[in-house]
Amino acid sequence: QVQLVESGGGLVQAGGSLRLSCVGSGRTFSNYAMGWFRQAPGNEREFVAAIGWNNGASLYADSVKGRFTISRDNAKNTVYLQMNSLKAEDTAVYYCARARSIVVGTTRYDYDYWGQGTQVTVSS
């Protein structure tokens, strides 16, 4: 019933930028908070950023504050993650997720639908 599709990943040099997009299905997209998570090889899936249903109440992991920006366009059923000043440690598979409510959350258990992930590789 709900499908999320990420795009925009790729290979970039340290210090560069990428913008990830996540397109969601369903007419109730605007009623839910959205989030981005990432998972590097051998690591657990970790929270990156989230945004509330009203395009406010943004929340970021300490590791990406000042470098990443989350935004959404409800008319397009799309959420974005602008990533600047990328570091090698940002290398991971990035996942888009829909929250269980309009409120942002920082754990994977706050989200009920997930995209397939898009690979981001940052070379040093």
Side-chain angles (χ1 to χ4, degrees):
Q1 297 179 11
V2 177
Q3 183 175 349
L4 302 173
V5 180
E6 303 97 333
S7 63
L11 175 64
V12 64
Q13 292 187 342
S17 299
L18 285 174
R19 188 177 77 157
L20 306 183
S21 298
C22 171
V23 179
S25 64
R27 58 178 58 86
T28 61
F29 179 87
S30 63
N31 293 333
Y32 297 89
M34 300 292 295
W36 287 96
F37 288 73
R38 67 186 182 186
Q39 187 167 17
N43 293 346
E44 65 183 9
R45 190 170 298 187
E46 66 175 350
F47 171 77
V48 176
I51 186 168
W53 68 274
N54 62 348
N55 208 19
S58 297
L59 189 64
Y60 299 91
D62 288 341
S63 59
V64 306
K65 286 182 179 178
R67 300 189 298 120
F68 291 10
T69 302
I70 188 171
S71 62
R72 67 191 298 166
D73 185 341
N74 289 337
K76 297 181 179 180
N77 278 3
T78 303
V79 61
Y80 305 95
L81 185 68
Q82 178 67 47
M83 305 185 294
N84 298 327
S85 301
L86 284 163
K87 306 174 181 179
E89 51 263 42
D90 294 319
T91 296
V93 176
Y94 283 71
Y95 297 90
C96 172
R98 192 193 78 174
R100 298 181 184 274
S101 73
I102 63 172
V103 180
V104 298
T106 59
T107 80
R108 64 184 303 170
Y109 304 104
D110 295 317
Y111 299 82
D112 56 0
Y113 289 96
W114 298 81
Q116 83 290 345
T118 185
Q119 176 70 48
V120 172
T121 302
V122 184
S123 62
S124 59

